[in-house]
Amino acid sequence: MPVDFGGRRAALRRRIEGDDLAAILVTDLLNIRYLTGFTGSNAALIVSANDSPGREDNTVVCTDGRYVTQIAEQVPDLRAVIDRSSASYLLRSNVTPRSGSVGFESHVVTVDQHRAWTALDDGPHLVRAPGLVEDLRMVKDEHEVALLRDACRAADDAFAVLIERGGISSGRTELEVARELEALMIENGADGISFETIVAAGANSAVPHHRPTAAVLADGDFVKFDFGALVGGYHSDMTRTVVIGTPQAWQRDLYALVLHAQTAGRGALAPGVSTAAVDAASRSVIEDAGYGDYFLHGLGHGVGLEIHEAPGIAKSSTGTLLSGAAVTVEPGVYFSGRGGVRIEDTLIVRDGGPELLTMTTKELVLV
């Protein structure tokens, strides 16, 4: 399905008009990709408040000479100019309004960049305008959801193959298993991996973001997998915890507790619900069992063009969920030196209940 980049820019234009800005300078490359489709490594974009859909004469993208062909192919609906100092060039040129204020992405701009821009002769009046595009990115359109589904499917299929062919077995190292899973994601349709795959065996499973090592998997181990696939620039994120051989009673009990908490968190996802309330729905299950001190992180986060993006879902987070937001729900309980469990899904917030994108079973898998 075609992407309505013009519609995305129109939504941003409404935001900057509401903030009484004449234009906004966008320099974050992922935000530029979201607004235009351009995927090069150097660009800046001026979005003017005075333009309208189909008549964006004052909305201009700038990149350098390496991308002359690419910018023409990827952004045929906007005027493109070529200059290596893309942001400075746009601020110096007559495409940037000199009357009124021009917003800039202060959350990604360095102090030195800002100093250079404000030192420009006859430059515009710059004001901080952080997070405007990221706010728009929280709600996924159907094109984005389709890419997220494909990314989740690639991860699901890869994990199924890994289990089917005995790839999780005693005697293998965490690194060996992680690299095999990453290769399988690409074989099953991923463009790449969302982030470095976590494989954490035995006591290492109690480390929330353990990096795979030469540690050897052994019978009786919890093995925690946190992994994701990248498709069309969009990330999936899933965590599953399995047991090699026969689980002990404490492992079954711990797994059941985390699954109960994860189910409660998923069930709390709905438009208009506060993110802190979603965290509380899951966290209270673990706290009521006496293990609140062993749940060491927030419940989840947004996912899309970045593996971690808005909204955050944590005890201290603010704001409410919007219909169409893509989020994770990932409670975990970690017993240092012994082992831990985390279970994570990627979901779309919907009226009437969330849409589950990660389909791998959440029943305790014995390998």
Side-chain angles (χ1 to χ4, degrees):
M1 65 186 73
V3 184
D4 185 9
F5 292 114
R8 293 177 180 179
R9 294 191 295 270
L12 177 61
R13 197 168 285 117
R14 290 190 291 272
R15 289 294 306 271
I16 64 177
E17 287 174 345
D19 290 346
D20 200 26
L21 297 174
I24 185 169
L25 173 68
V26 183
T27 52
D28 181 276
L29 288 172
L30 285 179
N31 288 342
I32 292 170
R33 177 174 184 163
Y34 176 78
L35 293 167
T36 69
F38 182 64
T39 60
S41 64
N42 177 33
L45 171 71
I46 281 284
V47 177
S48 171
N50 292 328
D51 285 344
S52 59
R55 292 295 304 272
E56 296 183 278
D57 298 332
N58 301 300
T59 295
V60 179
V61 64
C62 183
T63 186
D64 63 63
R66 295 171 295 168
Y67 297 113
V68 171
T69 300
Q70 183 175 334
I71 197 80
E73 292 174 348
Q74 292 184 327
V75 196
D77 56 339
L78 287 182
R79 178 157 67 99
V81 293
I82 304 300
D83 191 282
R84 186 161 188 83
S85 57
S86 297
S88 295
Y89 178 83
L90 289 177
L91 292 175
R92 291 195 308 268
S93 72
N94 60 8
V95 303
T96 302
R98 290 304 186 268
S99 61
S101 297
V102 174
F104 70 97
E105 297 184 303
S106 55
H107 58 303
V108 296
V109 170
T110 67
V111 172
D112 285 347
Q113 286 174 317
H114 183 252
R115 284 175 176 168
W117 295 346
T118 54
L120 293 173
D121 292 337
D122 194 31
H125 176 237
L126 294 172
V127 298
R128 296 175 63 251
L132 296 186
V133 183
E134 285 84 353
D135 286 348
L136 296 177
R137 282 171 45 192
M138 276 197 288
V139 175
K140 272 53 180 182
D141 59 34
E142 287 308 310
H143 175 82
E144 294 176 289
V145 173
L147 290 173
L148 287 167
R149 286 194 194 104
D150 289 344
C152 290
R153 186 180 304 114
D156 281 325
D157 291 349
F159 195 57
V161 172
L162 182 69
I163 292 173
E164 287 168 5
R165 69 188 193 190
I168 310 170
S169 58
S170 59
R172 301 196 76 194
T173 69
E174 295 171 340
L175 276 170
E176 288 171 340
V177 176
R179 298 302 170 254
E180 183 176 2
L181 179 54
E182 290 174 344
L184 283 169
M185 283 190 279
I186 294 171
E187 289 176 21
N188 282 274
D191 300 327
I193 60 174
S194 289
F195 51 90
E196 184 182 11
T197 297
I198 294 173
V199 177
N204 290 338
S205 63
V207 181
H209 277 190
H210 172 75
R211 300 184 70 182
T213 68
V216 176
L217 281 61
D219 287 345
D221 276 354
F222 268 139
V223 186
K224 182 184 68 198
F225 293 82
D226 190 346
F227 60 104
L230 183 68
V231 173
Y234 284 77
H235 301 72
S236 72
D237 197 358
M238 178 168 68
T239 304
R240 294 293 186 267
T241 306
V242 306
V243 172
I244 299 178
T246 303
Q248 299 177 53
W250 73 270
Q251 291 175 309
R252 287 190 181 277
D253 291 344
L254 181 58
Y255 192 92
L257 173 64
V258 175
L259 180 57
H260 183 193
Q262 209 259 355
T263 302
R266 294 196 333 263
L269 294 174
V273 175
S274 75
T275 52
V278 176
D279 181 277
S282 184
R283 191 175 300 275
S284 64
V285 173
I286 294 171
E287 290 175 339
D288 290 347
Y291 297 116
D293 290 342
Y294 300 90
F295 183 1
L296 306 173
H297 49 75
L299 180 65
H301 54 85
V303 64
L305 284 169
E306 295 176 277
I307 189 58
H308 292 101
E309 58 182 45
I313 303 177
K315 188 186 303 186
S316 60
S317 62
T318 59
T320 58
L321 292 175
L322 299 173
S323 180
V327 298
T328 68
V329 175
E330 50 181 301
V333 175
Y334 311 94
F335 296 154
S336 180
R338 193 178 188 191
V341 173
R342 182 164 69 249
I343 304 171
E344 175 187 22
D345 285 316
T346 298
L347 310 100
I348 305 295
V349 178
R350 303 283 196 194
D351 292 313
E355 177 186 351
L356 179 66
L357 301 187
T358 41
M359 307 305 292
T360 297
T361 181
K362 287 180 283 291
E363 297 301 314
L364 179 57
V365 172
L366 311 181
V367 295

